[in-house]
């Protein structure tokens, strides 16, 4: 996944390559040996890929604000309502970004309503 850490050198091809490597390693039971995250590896790899793709799209379409947002650990049916954030609270970040003025931030990651690091 280190290949996706270089924001300036990101390409769709690099993201695809990392995903293909991960899927091959899953298929051949090589997760631990190849150094992928041991817990929730598919979830973590998917989030890294989405964050990388956010940066790629932001560069590709500079006149459109493209950002990623983590709404928080929401109380939903998916997690049997064990989350810590209500759906209404979790919607604040995505809605804030959707309603931002033209020329707003792009290529960034937000943790709920706060700009954060990837």
């Amino acid at each position: 996944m280190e290949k996706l850490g270089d924001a300036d050198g990101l390409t769709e091809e690099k993201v695809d390559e990392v995903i293909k490597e991960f899927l091959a390693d899953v298929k051949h039971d090589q997760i631990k040996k190849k150094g992928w995250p041991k817990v929730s590896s598919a979830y973590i790899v998917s989030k890294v890929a989405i964050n990388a793709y956010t940066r790629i799209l932001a560069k590709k379409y500079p006149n459109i604000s493209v950002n990623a947002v983590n709404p928080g650990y929401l109380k939903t049916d998916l997690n049997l309502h064990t989350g810590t954030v209500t759906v209404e609270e979790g919607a604040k970040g995505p809605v804030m970004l959707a309603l931002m003025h033209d020329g707003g931030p792009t290529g960034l990651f937000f943790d709920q309503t706060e700009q954060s690091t990837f």
Side-chain angles (χ1 to χ4, degrees):
M1 287 192 302
E2 293 82 25
K3 295 176 188 177
L4 302 183
D6 173 22
D8 295 327
L10 285 174
T11 64
E12 291 178 48
E13 292 77 19
K14 284 185 182 178
V15 175
D16 288 345
E17 180 183 327
V18 168
I19 297 301
K20 286 178 184 174
E21 286 176 25
F22 174 72
L23 292 174
D25 291 343
V26 168
K27 183 177 182 179
H28 297 103
D29 198 24
Q30 297 291 307
I31 296 293
K32 187 176 179 180
K33 182 178 179 183
K34 297 288 184 88
W36 296 102
K38 294 175 185 122
V39 177
S40 303
S41 57
Y43 177 82
I44 293 168
V45 172
S46 74
K47 297 307 170 200
V48 169
I50 273 189
N51 289 338
Y53 200 59
T54 295
R55 291 174 164 178
I56 293 166
L57 288 176
K59 275 192 212 174
K60 190 173 184 176
Y61 301 104
N63 295 326
I64 299 173
S65 291
V66 180
N67 296 291
V69 62
N70 169 23
Y73 183 44
L74 303 182
K75 297 175 186 175
T76 65
D77 291 345
L78 184 64
N79 62 25
L80 304 175
H81 298 274
T82 60
T84 58
V85 179
T86 67
V87 172
E88 293 78 13
E89 290 169 329
K92 289 179 182 178
V95 170
M96 175 194 79
L97 290 173
L99 297 177
M100 246 180 215
H101 60 83
D102 288 345
T106 189
L108 302 177
F109 177 77
F110 287 80
D111 187 5
Q112 298 181 342
T113 59
E114 301 294 321
Q115 183 179 332
S116 188
T117 59
F118 282 96

